[in-house]
Amino acid sequence: MGDNFKTDLREMGYDDRDWINLAQDWDLWRAYVRAAMNLRIPISNEALRNIRHHAVRSMLAEALKEVGFTVHQEVQGLATQGSVRRIDIIAIKNNSAYILDPTIRFETHADQPHEVDSEKKRIYEPTIPFYKNKYSLLH
């Protein structure tokens, strides 16, 4: 659903860089949401979460570029067991890469940060050989 909203914004003349401006300008953000509500355009909580996620991902990618990283967003990769995974960001500098997933969750208990870390490692570590090969990385 977030992709449909992004497509709609592109049709209205906005590009990917506008997500950064939209994320940083809460008044503009609220205006878009209010306009959609006034027009009775259904925006689900999932769509709003996806829009916000894309905005945060874009801001993070831009910040990494500013400090010299080569950044690729939403890159599909192949895990060692053959499953297809899509990473939010891969940031590359000096033949080393970092896979970033800017998912933000509400903490419900003290062990949740460790559980999320383990979950993300289980998802992304099997893709490391693929990305090392794809981007000719050492680390």
Side-chain angles (χ1 to χ4, degrees):
M1 187 166 276
D3 290 335
N4 291 339
F5 188 80
K6 199 171 180 180
T7 300
D8 291 343
L9 284 176
R10 281 192 189 119
E11 289 173 1
M12 293 175 5
Y14 292 91
D15 62 25
D16 289 336
R17 294 191 61 78
D18 291 316
W19 282 101
I20 297 164
N21 298 331
L22 186 60
Q24 292 173 341
D25 187 342
W26 281 103
D27 292 330
L28 183 61
W29 172 261
R30 283 188 210 102
Y32 279 122
V33 172
R34 285 188 187 121
M37 291 171 67
N38 289 337
L39 295 172
R40 305 279 192 255
I41 298 170
I43 298 180
S44 68
N45 287 338
E46 180 182 349
L48 290 174
R49 187 174 56 247
N50 286 339
I51 291 165
R52 186 71 184 143
H53 172 269
H54 292 319
V56 169
R57 187 196 67 224
S58 294
M59 284 190 304
L60 182 56
E62 288 302 313
L64 289 164
K65 288 177 186 177
E66 287 176 12
V67 294
F69 281 89
T70 300
V71 178
H72 304 279
Q73 298 181 58
E74 294 203 11
V75 180
Q76 279 194 334
L78 195 61
T80 51
Q81 71 274 21
S83 65
V84 175
R85 297 285 184 191
R86 181 173 27 185
I87 58 173
D88 287 319
I89 296 173
I90 185 166
I92 303 167
K93 189 175 187 180
N94 300 327
N95 280 334
S96 294
Y98 303 90
I99 295 173
L100 304 170
D101 180 349
T103 301
I104 300 169
R105 297 187 186 172
F106 292 103
E107 293 184 18
T108 58
H109 57 282
D111 290 333
Q112 188 170 357
H114 301 291
E115 291 172 4
V116 171
D117 181 58
S118 295
E119 173 192 334
K120 297 301 180 181
K121 285 179 179 175
R122 277 193 309 274
I123 292 170
Y124 297 120
E125 282 181 350
T127 65
I128 291 173
F130 174 84
Y131 292 113
K132 278 185 165 182
N133 184 49
K134 178 176 177 136
Y135 295 108
S136 302
L137 300 168
L138 299 175
H139 310 316

